[in-house]
Amino acid sequence: MNPYQTRNIRTLINAKGPATRLSGGIMRPEVTAAMAEAARHCVDMAELQAHASAVIARETGAEAGYVASGAAACLLLATAACVAGLEPSKMARLPDTSGMRNEVIMVRSQRNFYDHAVRAAGVKLVEVGLPDRYAGAGVRDAEAWEIADAITERTAAVFYVADCFARPSLTEVVAVAHAAGIPVIVDAAAQLPPQANLRRFIAEGADLVAFSGGKALGGPQATGILCGKRDLIMSAALQHLDLDIFWEQWSPPPSLIDKGRLKGVPQHGIGRTCKVGKEGIIGLLTALELFVAEGDAARHRRWLGAMQALAANLENLPGARISLAGADSVEETPTLDLILGKDAKLTALELVIALQNGSPAIQADPTFCDRGIVGFNPICLQDGEAEIVARAVRLALS
Ligand SMILES: *Cc1c(COP(=O)(O)O)cnc(C)c1O
């Protein structure tokens, strides 16, 4: 019996992908084994984070890296780093940012639920641009000059949410921000795969980039990677680590924290709430190394296999057709859409709910159910589950 069965908690088949609401994804046995072994020893957390920094730097091309309890946690740390720099007194005051650089510029069309993590550092978001493209007739979104125009002496950072549809391009945003000496923070939480994105945003000039550890990377659900400029990562570390220690006693690894540049030991910072355990850090680093070693092509083949198994079992359903996306490019995640016609027995949302209430419970993606589409994603499916999902869908629709 697994621990959920012992506690009478039902497990589910996750065909939606690594959503936090559904407990994220499945970790490989190598990852869980490393975590179990890590849990049996104690270490100095600053030394462990300095090692993580070196691994993350190697895999991302950034100067330094850090691990916190999710990409959202990393965004809070990133913002706090841009606001407080290396000033312990500023760190101690957050989220009270009065008198500090406390505005973060963001393109209006990129606003999203996760930017709460940025606001949580005590900054005000300054929105620029008009998402004119939304109207259908419009062709434009925010432009780089609008970001440049919004920069003032109160600007702490420009915040950019990476996505293939994001406008203006990151390169243009970096150019105007850096011309004014302002750092750029990139939310790349869900931008893996392709693997090349581990390096891409840093290569395009971002000062700090956040990735989720618990999405396609396959690490612990409550981990995230922050990578970027050495000074900013040092500030993030100082606002996250437990620093309940005497100055004389404190000898942090200089590669992560250069003690000589500090007036004193900061108090517990705003990031103390984003604590990550040693097991989480080891699990994340193991997952990151496995992700890189597997490569896009093998990963894509594995995921495509699951979607093809599902597709093969969903053909010729009355009132429905299927559409496989992302099959041709190893840079994309293959997904399957089930498109329900007017004469289908259930609407898309009704089917999602029927699957969720079935036994075993199955979670599909309802994002486009208003267009009659039920989505299926392979990332969290285990061997043999695609066939179970297909059977449940057939049953519900017949
Ligand atoms: C998932 C996600 C986050 C949050 O990541 P966590 O690792 O769950 O904290 C932030 N931003 C975007 C765009 C995301 O998709």
Side-chain angles (χ1 to χ4, degrees), residues 4 27 32 113 184 214 250 319:
Y4 301 110
M27 290 186 279
T32 50
F113 287 180
V184 176
W250 190 42

Side-chain angles (χ1 to χ4, degrees), residues 70-90:
C74 291
L75 295 177
L76 169 60
L77 289 177
T79 311
C82 292
V83 171
L86 298 179
E87 289 288 335
S89 57
K90 288 186 177 172

Side-chain angles (χ1 to χ4, degrees), residues 341-361:
K342 289 222 174 3
D343 47 346
K345 190 176 148 201
L346 300 175
T347 66
L349 187 56
E350 285 168 348
L351 176 57
V352 167
I353 294 169
L355 293 173
Q356 169 178 309
N357 292 338
S359 182

Side-chain angles (χ1 to χ4, degrees), residues 5-260:
Q5 291 166 323
T6 320
R7 292 171 192 277
N8 248 332
I9 298 161
R10 62 187 182 142
T11 55
L12 49 88
I13 293 180
N14 182 356
K16 182 184 188 303
T20 298
R21 169 171 74 83
L22 302 176
S23 74
I26 307 284
M27 290 186 279
R28 286 176 181 263
E30 298 94 313
V31 176
T32 50
M35 291 177 76
E37 198 51 40
R40 304 184 46 217
H41 307 273
C42 285
V43 294
D44 181 297
M45 288 303 283
E47 285 177 23
L48 180 56
Q49 286 281 13
H51 169 76
S53 176
V55 173
I56 293 165
R58 185 186 75 213
E59 302 300 351
T60 61
E63 291 176 7
Y66 199 76
V67 182
S69 53
C74 291
L75 295 177
L76 169 60
L77 289 177
T79 311
C82 292
V83 171
L86 298 179
E87 289 288 335
S89 57
K90 288 186 177 172
M91 294 177 188
R93 273 179 42 213
L94 295 187
D96 170 7
T97 57
S98 48
M100 305 180 205
R101 286 182 177 265
N102 58 8
E103 291 181 359
V104 171
I105 298 170
M106 181 175 189
V107 168
R108 183 172 279 112
S109 62
Q110 295 182 10
R111 287 293 315 269
N112 67 82
F113 287 180
Y114 299 104
D115 64 41
H116 206 140
V118 171
R119 290 183 280 134
V123 300
K124 187 179 128 205
L125 288 181
V126 175
E127 296 180 10
V128 301
L130 196 59
D132 182 43
R133 302 160 115 234
Y134 186 78
V139 295
R140 292 159 64 190
D141 199 323
E143 292 173 56
W145 65 264
E146 294 177 280
I147 294 173
D149 236 31
I151 294 174
T152 69
E153 71 285 351
R154 287 180 308 282
T155 307
V158 175
F159 179 46
Y160 189 86
V161 183
D163 182 275
C164 53
F165 302 111
R167 297 290 182 274
S169 72
L170 179 57
T171 333
E172 291 171 89
V173 172
V174 165
V176 294
H178 285 183
I182 302 296
V184 176
I185 302 169
V186 174
D187 177 352
Q191 297 302 305
L192 301 172
Q195 195 168 315
N197 279 357
L198 276 171
R199 297 180 173 274
R200 177 176 161 194
F201 311 114
I202 290 292
E204 289 178 349
D207 297 271
L208 286 168
V209 182
F211 295 102
S212 283
K215 291 181 179 161
L217 213 44
Q221 165 64 3
T223 58
I225 293 174
L226 185 65
C227 60
K229 292 278 156 59
R230 189 175 304 284
D231 280 13
L232 291 170
I233 293 293
M234 173 172 162
S235 176
L238 288 166
Q239 298 185 74
H240 180 261
L241 288 169
D242 181 317
L243 296 176
D244 195 6
I245 189 167
F246 290 111
W247 174 262
E248 298 82 354
Q249 186 194 0
W250 190 42
S251 54
S255 63
L256 184 67
I257 294 171
D258 182 355
K259 188 181 171 184

